[in-house]
Amino acid sequence: MNDDQVLDTLPIGLVVLDRSYRVRRWNHWMVMQSGLSQQTVLECSVFNYYPELNKPSFLRACKTVFTFGNVVYLSQKLHRFLFPFELPANHTSGLTHMQQSCTMSPVRGDDGHPQQVAITIQDVTDSVILERRLRAVNNIDELTGAYNRRYFSARLREEIERHRRYNHRLSLVIFDLDHFKQTNDSIGHLAGDHALIEIRKLAEEQLRDIDVLARFGGEEFVFLLPETGREAARGTAERLRSEIERFSLTWRERAFRVTASFGVAELNHGMGGETDLLEAADQALYVAKQKRNAVSVAGNSG
Amino acid sequence: MNNTFTALEIDTLQEVMNMAFGSAAADLAEVVDVFVQLNAPDVQVMRLDDLESHLVAQIPDYERARVVEQHFRGESDGVALLVFPHGAEHQLVSLFQSDSTEILESDTILELEKEILMEIGNILIGATVGRLFDLLNRRIGYLPPRTTDGYAVAELINKGLFAGDDYAITVQTRFDFEDRAVSGRLFIINRQQSAQQLKSALAEFWSSLE
């Protein structure tokens, strides 16, 4: 069995490029994944077939191998993939491309200097899907589909650190459905569950991609508004309050409505951290709860 | 077996380091598209029992410092530790973030920063440690880098990498990244078992200069 046959038995991709990025080896795994035969790609620039590789991160990795002779690890977490091999259209993961963990190693010439770079490509798509599922189980509230409190706390700590580093504004809103016990008692707990799910959807429609919505507990939600001062946060809370008030819910052909009360707080220099910000928003919520279907901002009277 | 280093050997090591780091700085600028100032390395030989207190004295907020740890094996054995102050990785993210990097979720942001730190560490360690052993005409290979913290480094020192009365050679330099208010320190700790190999390599290097 010659070397080429041995390399063709590997369940990973192996590509060897010279200093001009011409393909010197292209093993069977690569043939199967790319649909390009060895005869097609050998001696050609890899950029002819994969122009996506002609980007700073790949060129930097090649330079590192050629200049310093060390092994470069291209992790899936950082790079997702090197060669854009599309997954089948019926792939249910939501991923469009095979996720890859790659290494790039020097192949030295007789003078001891790196003359070629050997790239290995490992398909880690299944591991990524499993990790995402586990992460979702860990981070998502099962009933509503919003983030859970554990995840929210982690994001809150991160955003507070970012606020301190860059001095960006940061606001937090807690809201609570009014008289929710009565809804459960009169229409049923399943109707209450249905309301929580619909309110989560309404809230997400009002929020930006960078905002973080979580179920805080029971009928209480919380959202974090990065880069947002308290007046803008009050505006967001007011819009959502109004949407909830106007929204008609239906459970088993029975229509009902809910309202919500909102407490808004902005992180300021006098606050120690996440506990202080949450407490400020919670106190504002307490004020709003005295009126119901209202928005109250910490530090403002009324 | 005498594992202590003579004054001549330490001077030679210092000289090799100066040469290695001088050429590494220029190549680093080309590879990472940013000027990385490599300060003159400081070579010291110390008893392992003194190493931790040395690191604590050199590195602010030592226990929370971010460390890229990469072991090397071959004709010399040891570990390279690239130490950044706590939080420095945030400053370096924009330098090294990949074109295809997506930030999806909270845990991922932290993981991405770790991954970026490992890429930086891999390049810097490869550039400096690689050059050092190239000059000494010794071939080494690297294990994959990993990120850890100062506390874990203390554990590494205290648990098995060395015996307590062994000598560690530390090579300390500071990296300053242009336009970034961040600097890191590199420590190369050579395993005691390969002290003789290093001494031989230094002797060969010294005689090649004569």
Side-chain angles (χ1 to χ4, degrees), chain A residues 53-123:
Chain A
L53 292 182
N54 196 354
K55 59 186 179 182
S57 56
F58 179 72
L59 298 176
R60 182 172 67 219
C62 289
K63 278 188 201 170
T64 304
V65 173
F66 286 128
T67 308
F68 302 126
N70 56 332
V71 179
V72 173
Y73 303 88
L74 298 176
S75 74
Q76 178 276 332
K77 283 198 169 58
L78 205 54
H79 300 275
R80 308 296 176 200
F81 51 84
L82 192 55
F83 287 88
F85 297 145
E86 289 185 9
L87 292 169
N90 61 354
H91 209 270
T92 55
S93 64
L95 296 167
T96 55
H97 292 86
M98 174 199 287
Q99 303 295 293
Q100 298 163 4
S101 178
C102 303
T103 64
M104 298 173 64
S105 308
V107 180
R108 295 175 190 272
D110 293 338
D111 61 358
H113 293 113
Q115 297 301 331
Q116 298 177 332
V117 53
I119 307 169
T120 63
I121 303 103
Q122 189 177 0
D123 178 359

Side-chain angles (χ1 to χ4, degrees), chain A residues 31-65:
Chain A
V31 172
M32 297 305 288
Q33 298 297 336
S34 67
L36 298 168
S37 69
Q38 286 196 32
Q39 290 74 15
T40 304
V41 294
L42 283 180
E43 305 294 329
C44 296
S45 167
V46 72
F47 302 139
N48 289 355
Y49 295 97
Y50 292 99
E52 306 89 341
L53 292 182
N54 196 354
K55 59 186 179 182
S57 56
F58 179 72
L59 298 176
R60 182 172 67 219
C62 289
K63 278 188 201 170
T64 304
V65 173

